[in-house]
Amino acid sequence: VTDQMEWLAKHEPEPAANQDVQTNLQLFAERQAKEVGLTIKTQKPLPTDATAGRHFHRAKFQFTVTGTEQALYQWFDRLNVPDQLRITTQIRLTPNQQDDTKIDCTATVEQWFVPKTS
Protein backbone atom coordinates (compact mmCIF):
# COMPACT_ATOMS: atom_id res chain seq x y z
CA VAL A 1 0.00 0.00 0.00
CA THR A 2 2.91 2.36 0.68
CA ASP A 3 4.01 2.17 -2.96
CA GLN A 4 0.51 3.11 -4.10
CA MET A 5 0.32 6.03 -1.68
CA GLU A 6 3.70 7.30 -2.88
CA TRP A 7 2.64 6.97 -6.52
CA LEU A 8 -0.56 8.91 -5.87
CA ALA A 9 1.28 11.64 -3.95
CA LYS A 10 3.69 12.00 -6.87
CA HIS A 11 0.93 12.18 -9.53
CA GLU A 12 -1.87 14.02 -7.74
CA PRO A 13 -2.95 17.02 -9.82
CA GLU A 14 -3.31 20.56 -8.56
CA PRO A 15 -6.89 21.46 -7.60
CA ALA A 16 -8.88 22.71 -10.59
CA ALA A 17 -12.38 23.87 -11.46
CA ASN A 18 -14.66 21.29 -13.05
CA GLN A 19 -15.30 23.46 -16.11
CA ASP A 20 -11.57 23.88 -16.76
CA VAL A 21 -10.87 20.16 -16.46
CA GLN A 22 -13.78 19.24 -18.71
CA THR A 23 -12.81 21.81 -21.35
CA ASN A 24 -9.17 20.70 -21.31
CA LEU A 25 -10.22 17.06 -21.57
CA GLN A 26 -12.48 17.81 -24.55
CA LEU A 27 -9.80 19.83 -26.35
CA PHE A 28 -7.10 17.22 -25.72
CA ALA A 29 -9.19 14.27 -26.91
CA GLU A 30 -10.39 16.20 -29.96
CA ARG A 31 -6.86 17.25 -30.91
CA GLN A 32 -5.54 13.69 -30.50
CA ALA A 33 -8.37 12.25 -32.60
CA LYS A 34 -7.63 14.64 -35.44
CA GLU A 35 -3.86 14.00 -35.24
CA VAL A 36 -4.30 10.24 -35.73
CA GLY A 37 -6.78 10.72 -38.59
CA LEU A 38 -10.13 10.06 -36.91
CA THR A 39 -13.26 11.92 -37.95
CA ILE A 40 -15.29 13.24 -35.03
CA LYS A 41 -19.02 12.75 -35.59
CA THR A 42 -20.28 13.99 -32.22
CA GLN A 43 -18.96 15.03 -28.85
CA LYS A 44 -20.81 15.92 -25.69
CA PRO A 45 -20.00 16.63 -22.07
CA LEU A 46 -21.38 14.20 -19.52
CA PRO A 47 -22.22 15.07 -15.91
CA THR A 48 -19.17 15.23 -13.69
CA ASP A 49 -19.00 12.66 -10.92
CA ALA A 50 -18.74 15.08 -8.00
CA THR A 51 -19.85 12.83 -5.17
CA ALA A 52 -19.70 14.73 -1.87
CA GLY A 53 -16.94 13.58 0.44
CA ARG A 54 -14.71 12.15 -2.29
CA HIS A 55 -11.26 13.61 -2.75
CA PHE A 56 -11.26 13.06 -6.54
CA HIS A 57 -13.98 14.03 -8.97
CA ARG A 58 -14.27 12.80 -12.57
CA ALA A 59 -14.89 14.98 -15.61
CA LYS A 60 -16.40 13.03 -18.51
CA PHE A 61 -16.77 13.55 -22.22
CA GLN A 62 -18.34 11.27 -24.81
CA PHE A 63 -17.05 11.12 -28.38
CA THR A 64 -18.35 9.37 -31.45
CA VAL A 65 -15.59 8.98 -34.02
CA THR A 66 -14.93 7.01 -37.17
CA GLY A 67 -11.66 5.81 -38.64
CA THR A 68 -9.36 2.89 -39.20
CA GLU A 69 -8.62 0.30 -36.56
CA GLN A 70 -5.00 1.52 -36.34
CA ALA A 71 -6.11 5.14 -35.80
CA LEU A 72 -8.47 4.07 -33.01
CA TYR A 73 -5.68 2.15 -31.25
CA GLN A 74 -3.37 5.17 -31.52
CA TRP A 75 -6.07 7.45 -30.10
CA PHE A 76 -6.72 5.16 -27.14
CA ASP A 77 -2.99 4.91 -26.53
CA ARG A 78 -2.76 8.71 -26.31
CA LEU A 79 -5.86 9.05 -24.13
CA ASN A 80 -5.15 6.32 -21.57
CA VAL A 81 -2.39 7.73 -19.39
CA PRO A 82 -2.56 6.57 -15.76
CA ASP A 83 0.12 9.07 -14.67
CA GLN A 84 -2.24 11.85 -15.76
CA LEU A 85 -5.29 10.15 -14.19
CA ARG A 86 -7.02 9.95 -17.60
CA ILE A 87 -8.65 6.89 -19.17
CA THR A 88 -11.28 5.75 -21.64
CA THR A 89 -13.88 3.97 -19.52
CA GLN A 90 -16.44 2.89 -22.12
CA ILE A 91 -15.79 1.86 -25.71
CA ARG A 92 -18.41 0.70 -28.19
CA LEU A 93 -17.23 -0.35 -31.66
CA THR A 94 -19.48 -0.94 -34.67
CA PRO A 95 -18.74 -1.44 -38.37
CA ASN A 96 -18.99 1.68 -40.49
CA GLN A 97 -21.97 1.27 -42.84
CA GLN A 98 -20.45 3.28 -45.73
CA ASP A 99 -16.82 2.07 -45.63
CA ASP A 100 -15.82 -1.42 -44.54
CA THR A 101 -12.24 -0.28 -43.88
CA LYS A 102 -13.44 1.97 -41.04
CA ILE A 103 -14.94 1.49 -37.60
CA ASP A 104 -17.43 3.70 -35.77
CA CYS A 105 -16.63 4.16 -32.11
CA THR A 106 -18.43 5.76 -29.18
CA ALA A 107 -16.07 6.31 -26.26
CA THR A 108 -16.33 7.93 -22.85
CA VAL A 109 -13.12 9.64 -21.75
CA GLU A 110 -12.71 10.49 -18.07
CA GLN A 111 -10.27 12.67 -16.16
CA TRP A 112 -9.88 12.39 -12.39
CA PHE A 113 -9.12 15.67 -10.64
CA VAL A 114 -9.06 17.36 -7.27
CA PRO A 115 -11.75 20.06 -7.18
CA LYS A 116 -10.96 23.59 -6.12
CA THR A 117 -12.45 24.46 -2.78
CA SER A 118 -14.13 27.78 -2.17
Side-chain angles (χ1 to χ4, degrees):
V1 174
T2 303
D3 290 344
Q4 293 172 358
M5 291 172 59
E6 289 173 358
W7 183 92
L8 187 57
K10 180 180 176 184
H11 294 95
E12 184 171 324
E14 293 295 320
N18 172 53
Q19 299 87 343
D20 294 340
V21 175
Q22 194 164 46
T23 298
N24 290 337
L25 177 63
Q26 184 261 336
L27 292 173
F28 176 79
E30 180 182 320
R31 184 173 56 248
Q32 296 306 314
K34 289 177 180 177
E35 283 183 16
V36 299
L38 295 173
T39 301
I40 299 172
K41 290 183 171 185
T42 64
Q43 49 185 312
K44 69 176 181 178
L46 299 175
T48 294
D49 179 357
T51 303
R54 289 195 179 159
H55 182 68
F56 287 97
H57 291 186
R58 286 184 295 158
K60 302 176 186 180
F61 227 92
Q62 184 180 70
F63 289 86
T64 301
V65 299
T66 190
T68 65
E69 181 180 10
Q70 180 66 30
L72 284 169
Y73 289 146
Q74 289 175 334
W75 188 50
F76 294 137
D77 186 52
R78 293 175 180 204
L79 294 176
N80 297 322
V81 181
D83 288 357
Q84 296 178 9
L85 305 177
R86 185 181 57 242
I87 192 164
T88 307
T89 56
Q90 292 184 336
I91 301 170
R92 187 183 57 192
L93 303 173
T94 56
N96 184 283
Q97 298 297 326
Q98 288 77 36
D99 185 346
D100 64 357
T101 65
K102 295 185 178 178
I103 299 170
D104 292 335
C105 173
T106 300
T108 301
V109 183
E110 299 188 25
Q111 176 76 54
W112 278 259
F113 68 99
V114 177
K116 275 189 177 177
T117 56
S118 304

